């Protein structure tokens, strides 16, 4: 027999906070992804392209977490919430593996072909801004996820932390290309991205806590 979860006043406040964070996540990453992909296509940057695609994946992850939080906020039964949790984690994991494979293939082929990306001041500015936003957002999500006991939201918080590291990798790769003409730094930085994504995918699929 399933039990219905009725949020308490404090838990209801946490759920609303979690929803606000995820709404911000989706909105920010849609804009970030569009700007990054446009800048990547203009400059031929693999690192920026991977960064932009990852932003869309994080938007999709945010939508799934919104679905999960709204289910509890509407006092859906506990078994239903657990099912949503597992589906959210599996979706995030599968999407991350797909993105990691694409970015790795694109980066390797770019290095082998010797395709030289152009300088991208827009990419440098976007990655720099993302460093600050992702740092704050990851910490806020993690605190809320721990308070709610939500494994899916903790996986999403880890994904945001990974986005911070990706922002740093992109900034280094695109910045070195822009400042010193080191074209290979761009696709080399892109190869860092799949490492984070695959680790994150493994933990999300296994349902482990992502610290």
């Amino acid at each position: 027999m399933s039990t219905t979860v009725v949020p308490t006043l404090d838990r209801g406040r946490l759920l609303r906070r979690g929803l606000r964070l995820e709404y911000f996540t989706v909105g920010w990453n849609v804009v970030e992804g569009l700007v990054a992909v446009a800048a990547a296509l203009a400059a031929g940057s693999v690192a920026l392209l991977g960064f932009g695609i990852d932003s869309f994946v994080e938007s999709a992850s945010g939508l799934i977490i919104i679905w999960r939080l709204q289910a509890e906020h509407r006092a859906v039964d506990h078994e239903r919430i657990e099912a949503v949790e597992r589906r959210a984690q599996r979706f995030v994991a599968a999407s991350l593996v797909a993105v990691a494979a694409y970015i790795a293939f694109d980066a390797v082929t770019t290095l082998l072909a010797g395709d030289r990306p152009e300088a991208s001041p827009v990419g440098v500015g976007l990655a720099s801004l993302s460093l600050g936003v992702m740092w704050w957002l990851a910490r806020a999500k993690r605190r809320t996820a721990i308070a709610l006991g939500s494994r899916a939201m903790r996986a999403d918080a880890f994904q945001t932390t990974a986005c911070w590291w990706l922002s740093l990798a992109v900034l280094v790769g695109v910045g070195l290309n822009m400042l010193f003409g080191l074209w290979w730094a761009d696709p080399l930085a892109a190869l860092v991205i799949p490492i984070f994504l695959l680790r994150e995918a493994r933990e999300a699929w296994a349902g482990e806590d992502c610290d």
Side-chain angles (χ1 to χ4, degrees), residues 13-34:
R13 179 177 57 81
L14 286 170
L15 288 170
R16 289 190 295 272
R17 184 186 183 204
L19 283 168
R20 286 194 298 269
L21 289 171
E22 295 300 338
Y23 287 139
F24 179 81
T25 295
V26 173
W28 172 270
N29 280 284
V30 167
V31 175
E32 181 181 76
L34 290 173

Side-chain angles (χ1 to χ4, degrees), residues 2-143:
S2 62
T3 58
T4 300
V5 175
V6 180
T8 63
L9 181 60
D10 287 344
R11 191 167 182 81
R13 179 177 57 81
L14 286 170
L15 288 170
R16 289 190 295 272
R17 184 186 183 204
L19 283 168
R20 286 194 298 269
L21 289 171
E22 295 300 338
Y23 287 139
F24 179 81
T25 295
V26 173
W28 172 270
N29 280 284
V30 167
V31 175
E32 181 181 76
L34 290 173
V35 174
V37 169
L41 295 177
S45 170
V46 182
L48 276 175
L49 183 60
F51 184 65
I53 294 174
D54 179 70
S55 296
F56 293 130
V57 172
E58 189 161 351
S59 294
S61 174
L63 288 172
I64 295 296
I65 304 303
I66 288 171
W67 175 35
R68 178 258 181 265
L69 294 176
Q70 285 182 338
E72 182 173 348
H73 196 59
R74 292 193 301 267
V76 177
D77 68 86
H78 182 72
E79 289 182 2
R80 171 66 173 166
I81 292 172
E82 284 296 315
V84 171
E85 281 269 358
R86 291 305 303 148
R87 280 200 294 272
Q89 290 177 279
R90 294 293 172 89
F91 174 83
V92 170
S95 60
L96 289 173
V97 170
V99 172
Y102 173 79
I103 295 172
F105 174 80
D106 201 11
V108 170
T109 53
T110 298
L111 283 169
L112 292 176
D115 293 334
R116 296 173 178 264
E118 298 177 5
S120 179
V122 173
V124 169
L126 180 64
S128 300
L129 182 60
S130 180
L131 281 174
V133 175
M134 293 300 107
W135 178 265
W136 165 78
L137 190 56
R139 294 185 66 186
K141 281 186 182 180
R142 187 176 298 108
R143 287 195 298 265

